[in-house]
Amino acid sequence: MATWIWIVIAVAAVIVLAVIVFGGRRAKQRRVVGQKREEAQTLRAEAEQRHRRAKERESLAQELSERADAERKEGDKAAAQAARVDPDRD
């Protein structure tokens, strides 16, 4: 065989190897990007769920605070009424 045929075969082999290596790197990069997207989506869903729970708890705390204020006012009214009715009052 002629020398130029061996050179062509070697160049073709190098080109095939380069295509395989670069193709493998691209495939790995795509996998990593896909995994990161999935992780980001999971983290976003978790953050949204926590945000929703925090809002619910905040709403409940506000409602309880309003109830406590109302009960405190009723207690003050009852204490004032007791003070007016008390015969031992000065």
Side-chain angles (χ1 to χ4, degrees):
M1 279 215 270
T3 306
W4 68 271
I5 293 176
W6 285 109
I7 293 172
V8 169
I9 291 172
V11 169
V14 168
I15 291 172
V16 168
L17 284 174
V19 167
I20 290 173
V21 168
F22 288 126
R25 286 183 181 174
R26 287 184 104 184
K28 182 180 179 181
Q29 187 178 19
R30 284 186 199 138
R31 257 193 328 271
V32 168
V33 167
Q35 289 172 345
K36 286 184 179 183
R37 281 190 181 125
E38 287 178 17
E39 183 181 358
Q41 187 176 15
T42 302
L43 290 172
R44 279 188 201 101
E46 183 180 331
E48 186 177 318
Q49 184 179 15
R50 286 184 178 192
H51 184 72
R52 204 171 327 129
R53 273 188 296 190
K55 279 195 150 252
E56 289 172 4
R57 288 180 179 161
E58 191 176 75
S59 175
L60 179 61
Q62 180 67 30
E63 183 181 334
L64 290 174
S65 175
E66 289 170 2
R67 282 187 195 174
D69 287 343
E71 287 182 28
R72 190 175 303 111
K73 287 178 184 177
E74 289 297 318
D76 290 344
K77 285 181 186 178
Q81 179 68 23
R84 283 192 301 269
V85 174
D86 189 6
D88 293 331
R89 188 176 97 168
D90 289 328

